Amino acid sequence: MQIIESTIRSRLSENDDFDFWRKFLETLSEDFEIPSSKKLRNYEIFLEIGSCSHWIRPNQTRLTIAGGFAYPVGYGGNGGYGYGEPEFDWSVLFSWNKDRDDWETATKYSGKKKFVCRVALPNRTKLHPQAVANVVWENGTPKNPNEKLKLYYAFRKIENIWKLVSSDKL
């Protein structure tokens, strides 16, 4: 995860809290197991992580868990109706290098069989004591290749430390 942390840190603005991003990456890496089964060796695995500033109606569409959070969806891909994917202000693409068992930066998606994990995190996290991440496995997950998965991870800053307070499917 070192390459991911250093690449993302270089993209953050002065209003983005790197401690939040680091805590999210730690949490994701705990959930993000890459199986070593031979069946999945034919798949390419990608992780796209980006920052989003335009979440859908954040003050009126809410998750009610753990004291309430903005609902982690955006306007992308649906013409402004319903819940779409958050649109990135910027993003970075990583691919899993099977030979080194580590991530590396990528310039584009490749391969016929691929798993894509798309992560949108809010920007301006230094200004807010809570944040929700939107995580979408677009082509299924390595654990379950046939099911698209949408998740959220809700964090709250408690005594100056970011803590995961809830996560579930969307």
Side-chain angles (χ1 to χ4, degrees):
M1 282 284 190
Q2 185 63 32
I3 186 75
I4 294 175
E5 282 189 18
S6 62
T7 303
I8 287 175
R9 176 172 244 161
S10 70
R11 304 293 303 261
L12 297 179
S13 78
E14 64 185 33
N15 289 325
D16 295 319
D17 188 341
F18 182 68
D19 290 340
F20 163 70
W21 288 74
R22 183 184 300 123
K23 181 62 177 177
F24 171 78
L25 290 170
E26 288 172 10
T27 303
L28 185 65
S29 69
E30 292 170 8
D31 289 351
F32 197 107
E33 284 184 42
I34 299 179
S36 59
S37 85
K38 291 181 182 180
K39 178 181 176 185
L40 295 177
R41 297 289 288 175
N42 295 330
Y43 283 83
E44 300 299 324
I45 301 173
F46 294 93
L47 175 62
E48 184 176 14
I49 300 177
S51 177
C52 176
S53 60
H54 299 291
W55 301 85
I56 196 166
R57 297 172 55 115
N59 296 322
Q60 294 156 359
T61 305
R62 311 274 305 156
L63 285 171
T64 57
I65 46 89
F69 289 84
Y71 203 76
V73 294
Y75 297 100
N78 66 359
Y81 300 101
Y83 298 136
E85 299 301 327
E87 294 178 337
F88 293 131
D89 295 337
W90 59 263
S91 70
V92 182
L93 182 64
F94 301 94
S95 64
W96 182 252
N97 183 316
K98 298 171 196 161
D99 297 328
R100 293 185 323 171
D101 283 335
D102 202 1
W103 293 103
E104 60 188 18
T105 56
T107 56
K108 63 181 180 176
Y109 295 107
S110 61
K112 290 183 180 180
K113 293 182 176 182
K114 56 185 157 273
F115 295 114
V116 176
C117 182
R118 184 183 186 278
V119 176
L121 298 170
N123 59 10
R124 300 184 309 269
T125 48
K126 274 190 180 174
L127 307 176
H128 305 286
Q130 61 189 32
V132 181
N134 175 297
V135 178
V136 177
W137 284 91
E138 296 176 354
N139 310 62
T141 70
K143 291 181 182 178
N144 191 351
N146 300 316
E147 180 181 327
K148 180 177 180 175
L149 182 62
K150 291 184 176 190
L151 304 165
Y152 73 84
Y153 291 83
F155 294 85
R156 194 172 304 282
K157 196 169 191 178
I158 301 168
E159 297 177 7
N160 284 333
I161 298 172
W162 286 100
K163 297 183 180 183
L164 177 68
V165 294
S166 183
S167 66
D168 204 347
K169 292 181 182 180
L170 281 172

